[in-house]
Amino acid sequence: MADEPEYYRAEPLPPRDQSARGYGQGKGFGPSGGSSQWGQGWPVSQPVNVNVVGGKSTVLAYVLWFFLGQLGIHKFYLAQPVQGIFYLLLGLIGWATVGILVGWIFLVPLWILMFIDLFVIPVRVAVLNARLARRVGGY
């Protein structure tokens, strides 16, 4: 693949002016200011605030849990495909054999796991969103 053009490359933002609330364009900034590169030479002392766009939604995870939970769809949404397949197998085998009373052996553990998911879903969403923020934020 060809290298990206210069204007597509991400560059760090200039440091914040201590007296101003936003990014200032004071002395030493820009082509006429004498600085060779954008934002070089000043360490940023404030923590980085990362706004995660495209993270997972707790509400959507609960909606999937409520309507399609016995098929494990919420597990696939929460990036747990092995558990999703396990839920899918328990649900399909359980409902397919419930008429001959064998299905309850599969459905009862599935319902216990789904009850546990009621309390685990917010934690899992927070972990996935924190992982995404760390990856996007570069730390």
Side-chain angles (χ1 to χ4, degrees), residues 50-131:
V50 177
N51 185 13
V52 178
V53 176
K56 301 294 181 182
S57 167
T58 306
V59 173
L60 179 58
Y62 275 120
V63 168
L64 291 172
W65 173 87
F66 185 78
F67 289 107
L68 300 169
Q70 294 191 27
L71 298 177
I73 303 302
H74 66 290
K75 289 294 189 178
F76 290 107
Y77 176 71
L78 295 174
Q80 296 174 318
V82 174
Q83 291 179 5
I85 292 171
F86 182 66
Y87 278 46
L88 181 64
L89 289 175
L90 281 178
L92 290 178
I93 293 171
W95 285 113
T97 59
V98 76
I100 57 173
L101 301 178
V102 176
W104 297 108
I105 296 171
F106 297 98
L107 291 177
V108 170
L110 175 65
W111 293 337
I112 292 171
L113 289 171
M114 286 184 59
F115 180 74
I116 293 170
D117 284 343
L118 269 175
F119 306 102
V120 176
I121 284 175
V123 175
R124 182 64 184 163
V125 169
V127 167
L128 288 172
N129 288 340
R131 185 181 302 159

Side-chain angles (χ1 to χ4, degrees), residues 10-15 23-25 28-31 35-42:
E11 294 187 18
L13 293 173
Y23 290 106
Q25 293 186 359
F29 180 82
S35 180
S36 62
Q37 291 241 339
W38 235 36
Q40 293 219 347
W42 297 290

